[in-house]
Amino acid sequence: MSNNDVMKKLRVALHLRDEDIIEILALVDFKISKTELSAIFRKDDHPNFKPCGDQLLRNFLNGLIIYKRGPKENKD
Protein backbone atom coordinates (compact mmCIF):
# COMPACT_ATOMS: atom_id res chain seq x y z
CA MET A 1 0.00 0.00 0.00
CA SER A 2 1.44 3.36 -1.01
CA ASN A 3 1.46 6.55 1.04
CA ASN A 4 -1.16 7.91 -1.37
CA ASP A 5 -3.44 5.00 -0.51
CA VAL A 6 -2.97 5.60 3.22
CA MET A 7 -3.83 9.29 2.81
CA LYS A 8 -6.91 8.46 0.74
CA LYS A 9 -8.17 5.89 3.24
CA LEU A 10 -7.64 8.22 6.21
CA ARG A 11 -9.38 11.03 4.37
CA VAL A 12 -12.45 8.88 3.74
CA ALA A 13 -12.48 7.20 7.17
CA LEU A 14 -12.22 10.50 9.04
CA HIS A 15 -14.48 12.46 6.65
CA LEU A 16 -11.80 15.09 6.01
CA ARG A 17 -12.01 17.80 3.36
CA ASP A 18 -9.01 19.44 1.70
CA GLU A 19 -9.29 22.39 4.07
CA ASP A 20 -9.20 20.06 7.08
CA ILE A 21 -6.04 18.35 5.83
CA ILE A 22 -4.36 21.70 5.17
CA GLU A 23 -5.32 22.81 8.70
CA ILE A 24 -3.96 19.57 10.19
CA LEU A 25 -0.65 20.01 8.35
CA ALA A 26 -0.47 23.65 9.50
CA LEU A 27 -0.53 22.43 13.12
CA VAL A 28 2.97 21.01 12.56
CA ASP A 29 4.14 23.96 10.44
CA PHE A 30 3.91 22.06 7.16
CA LYS A 31 2.55 24.16 4.34
CA ILE A 32 0.86 22.67 1.28
CA SER A 33 -1.40 24.26 -1.31
CA LYS A 34 -4.80 22.90 -2.25
CA THR A 35 -3.46 22.18 -5.76
CA GLU A 36 -0.55 20.11 -4.43
CA LEU A 37 -2.90 18.24 -2.12
CA SER A 38 -5.36 17.41 -4.90
CA ALA A 39 -2.47 15.95 -6.95
CA ILE A 40 -1.90 13.41 -4.19
CA PHE A 41 -5.51 12.19 -4.35
CA ARG A 42 -5.54 11.71 -8.14
CA LYS A 43 -5.33 8.31 -9.82
CA ASP A 44 -1.88 6.96 -10.62
CA ASP A 45 -2.35 7.35 -14.36
CA HIS A 46 -3.56 10.99 -14.23
CA PRO A 47 -1.05 13.49 -15.71
CA ASN A 48 -1.17 15.66 -12.55
CA PHE A 49 -0.66 12.75 -10.13
CA LYS A 50 2.01 13.31 -7.49
CA PRO A 51 3.30 10.60 -5.16
CA CYS A 52 2.87 11.29 -1.46
CA GLY A 53 6.26 11.39 0.18
CA ASP A 54 7.17 10.01 3.58
CA GLN A 55 7.65 13.51 4.99
CA LEU A 56 4.11 14.59 4.04
CA LEU A 57 2.53 11.45 5.51
CA ARG A 58 4.61 11.71 8.69
CA ASN A 59 3.67 15.36 9.19
CA PHE A 60 0.01 14.60 8.50
CA LEU A 61 -0.03 11.83 11.11
CA ASN A 62 1.72 14.03 13.68
CA GLY A 63 -0.73 16.85 12.95
CA LEU A 64 -3.66 14.46 13.18
CA ILE A 65 -2.63 13.56 16.74
CA ILE A 66 -2.67 17.24 17.70
CA TYR A 67 -5.95 17.79 15.82
CA LYS A 68 -7.69 14.93 17.64
CA ARG A 69 -6.08 15.09 21.11
CA GLY A 70 -4.92 18.68 21.41
CA PRO A 71 -1.37 19.98 21.92
CA LYS A 72 0.99 18.05 24.17
CA GLU A 73 1.10 19.34 27.73
CA ASN A 74 4.49 20.05 29.27
CA LYS A 75 4.94 18.42 32.70
CA ASP A 76 7.66 20.62 34.18
Side-chain angles (χ1 to χ4, degrees):
M1 182 180 287
S2 71
N3 289 349
N4 293 67
D5 294 333
V6 173
M7 288 289 290
K8 287 176 191 176
K9 289 185 183 294
L10 286 171
R11 178 184 188 185
V12 171
L14 299 172
H15 307 287
L16 298 172
R17 299 170 307 170
D18 288 346
E19 294 81 15
D20 298 327
I21 295 171
I22 292 170
E23 177 185 341
I24 289 168
L25 288 167
L27 292 172
V28 290
D29 296 325
F30 191 90
K31 308 227 183 306
I32 189 169
S33 70
K34 199 169 183 177
T35 305
E36 291 171 315
L37 188 60
S38 69
I40 291 167
F41 295 115
R42 298 205 182 270
K43 292 191 180 220
D44 297 356
D45 58 351
H46 193 278
N48 293 336
F49 171 79
K50 179 179 177 188
C52 177
D54 292 338
Q55 183 180 9
L56 174 60
L57 182 59
R58 181 177 57 248
N59 281 304
F60 174 73
L61 293 173
N62 287 334
L64 188 60
I65 292 168
I66 296 169
Y67 184 74
K68 291 291 186 180
R69 294 186 187 168
K72 186 175 182 179
E73 296 179 15
N74 291 333
K75 295 181 181 180
D76 292 331

